[in-house]
Amino acid sequence: MMQEYLVPEEAAGTRIDKFLADACPDLSRSFLQKLLKESSVTADGKAVKSSFKVNGGETIAFEVPKPQEAAIEAENIPLDILYEDSDIILVNKPKGMVVHPAAGHYTGTLVNALIYHCKDQLSGINGVMRPGIVHRIDMNTTGVLVVCKNDFAHNSLAEQLKVHSITRVYYAIVFGNLREDEGTVHAPIGRHPTDRKKMSIHSKQGRDAITHYRVLERFGAYTFIECRLETGRTHQIRVHMASIGHPLLGDEVYGPARQPFSLEGQTLHAGVLGFIHPRTGEYVEFSAPLPAYFEELLEKLRKRLEDKQLELEVTDAAKECIVAQGYDVNYGARPLKRLIQSK
């Protein structure tokens, strides 16, 4: 399959291998280098090497051979089904489950479970590796996900995603105490300039991304928030919240390497998903409750906050007692009158 990319003027002076790495996040650097070494990459029809620097305005083209896709096996994995009809199925994805097969994850995925449950009733637009999948959430993100049973439903949902008309509400716990009760992060997201496994707001090839957040509960060092997405970029909430200094608790990719709690990845839950039903034309909305680990963590944070407030109340009461007894709280047990006499 031929792939073509028009080089933006602002990318002028960038090495071709760097440009392609940013423009083609789904292709490995080694594969792109192989294409360049074999003179399989052209700029306005002329073969170029990896040292070539783009000028801006030219068209970069190369052929990508169609991958040989392995057959995906059906697996009898229990599904938490929120809703199902002849067109769509809504599931509550658990933490640790990959949505579709990919390198290193060919079994135990949501798709393996869906093939068993739905048999051959899944849309085929995204190929044999991603049947039914019109959108996805990260492996360690939990919550509601819609899957399409036919191409009619798939096309309808894909169009709604394209125009950003779908309601998507997530819940997260972030580090720090957000200054405002609500706000918006509007920053483009693309592949990280140096770490291809990460996304960043500093990518030259970034795509428009908007996240609205609202504080639900404050715990001093942590904040429980609701996030509403206008767009659906890879790792969007994780990248956006980290960009304003409030990475998600448990996120070792965009947050601190050492986490204060024993968590399996980020505390992020897709709580609400709403869209126009492809068959009826009516707006429908589905929700998934917070998973047990998330609820337990919230209770733990509430208890910590209560204990801290109680400690402050006890300290204040103790100070009042000390002063009433004629002692200076700043000097421990030395009587006030002794301090006065010594002056």
Side-chain angles (χ1 to χ4, degrees):
M1 180 177 65
M2 181 63 71
Q3 295 204 24
E4 295 185 349
Y5 297 90
L6 179 64
V7 181
E9 297 296 335
E10 57 268 26
T14 304
R15 278 177 54 117
I16 185 67
D17 51 357
K18 175 70 168 57
F19 172 78
L20 288 176
D22 289 334
C24 314
D26 293 332
L27 299 178
S28 68
R29 282 181 182 271
S30 58
F31 175 73
L32 293 171
Q33 288 289 356
K34 181 174 180 289
L35 290 178
L36 287 163
K37 189 175 182 179
E38 295 173 348
S39 299
S40 300
V41 178
T42 63
D44 287 342
K46 296 181 179 179
V48 294
K49 297 294 185 180
S50 58
S51 59
F52 173 78
K53 291 184 178 181
V54 298
N55 299 307
E58 67 263 60
T59 298
I60 306 300
F62 57 89
E63 186 84 22
V64 178
K66 190 173 181 179
Q68 296 296 315
E69 297 180 324
I72 305 303
E73 303 226 354
E75 294 182 55
N76 186 8
I77 302 171
L79 290 171
D80 182 0
I81 298 173
L82 302 172
Y83 172 82
E84 183 177 10
D85 62 25
S86 59
D87 293 297
I88 57 175
I89 178 171
L90 280 291
V91 297
N92 181 14
K93 189 189 83 66
K95 182 176 277 289
M97 175 180 271
V98 175
V99 171
H100 60 77
H105 296 280
Y106 289 104
T107 61
T109 73
L110 179 61
V111 163
N112 293 107
L114 287 167
I115 291 175
Y116 182 90
H117 177 81
C118 301
K119 305 299 187 283
D120 59 350
Q121 295 181 355
L122 289 170
S123 67
I125 291 176
N126 266 345
V128 298
M129 299 291 277
R130 304 179 185 183
I133 302 302
V134 68
H135 75 124
R136 57 184 177 179
I137 55 180
D138 298 334
M139 178 176 73
N140 286 320
T141 297
T142 57
V144 60
L145 192 82
V146 62
V147 177
C148 300
K149 289 187 170 183
N150 52 61
D151 290 353
F152 170 77
H154 193 119
N155 285 326
S156 173
L157 269 295
E159 182 60 27
Q160 292 180 60
L161 284 164
K162 182 180 178 180
V163 299
H164 313 310
S165 63
I166 288 183
T167 300
R168 282 174 288 185
V169 180
Y170 287 71
Y171 299 101
I173 301 174
V174 299
F175 279 94
N177 194 358
L178 286 158
R179 183 177 301 176
E180 306 293 338
D181 287 336
E182 56 185 39
T184 297
V185 183
H186 189 175
I189 292 177
R191 191 66 57 178
H192 192 283
T194 58
D195 188 344
R196 285 178 54 78
K197 293 182 179 180
K198 296 171 66 174
M199 306 302 287
S200 170
I201 63 169
H202 302 295
S203 171
K204 289 183 179 180
Q205 312 298 325
R207 300 171 67 190
D208 192 42
I210 304 173
T211 303
H212 304 285
Y213 65 84
R214 180 170 67 93
V215 172
L216 299 178
E217 218 169 335
R218 297 180 184 274
F219 305 108
Y222 310 98
T223 308
F224 178 34
I225 63 172
E226 170 192 280
C227 293
R228 289 181 175 267
L229 300 184
E230 279 197 34
T231 54
R233 309 305 177 205
T234 302
H235 299 174
Q236 179 169 317
I237 294 174
R238 299 165 64 189
V239 172
H240 271 174
M241 295 313 297
S243 74
I244 61 171
H246 296 280
L248 271 59
L249 184 59
D251 193 343
E252 295 182 353
V253 176
Y254 300 102
R258 296 183 63 182
Q259 297 287 333
F261 300 94
S262 297
L263 297 169
E264 294 179 19
Q266 65 277 358
T267 47
L268 183 60
H269 176 71
V272 179
L273 186 66
F275 51 87
I276 301 299
H277 192 288
R279 188 70 60 180
T280 68
E282 296 180 353
Y283 178 78
V284 290
E285 192 170 279
F286 305 92
S287 60
L290 290 174
Y293 93 90
F294 205 121
E295 291 280 18
E296 290 168 5
L297 182 56
L298 286 173
E299 284 304 312
K300 187 178 293 185
L301 292 173
R302 290 180 187 122
K303 182 69 167 56
R304 279 190 172 192
L305 186 62
E306 288 173 5
D307 290 345
K308 186 176 181 180
Q309 289 173 339
L310 180 60
E311 182 182 334
L312 290 173
E313 290 172 9
V314 170
T315 302
D316 289 340
K319 287 180 180 179
E320 289 177 13
C321 252
I322 291 170
V323 171
Q325 294 292 324
Y327 290 85
D328 186 341
V329 294
N330 295 316
Y331 289 86
R334 294 175 65 188
L336 281 171
K337 59 177 70 174
R338 289 186 184 175
L339 285 171
I340 294 170
Q341 290 171 356
S342 66
K343 290 184 177 180

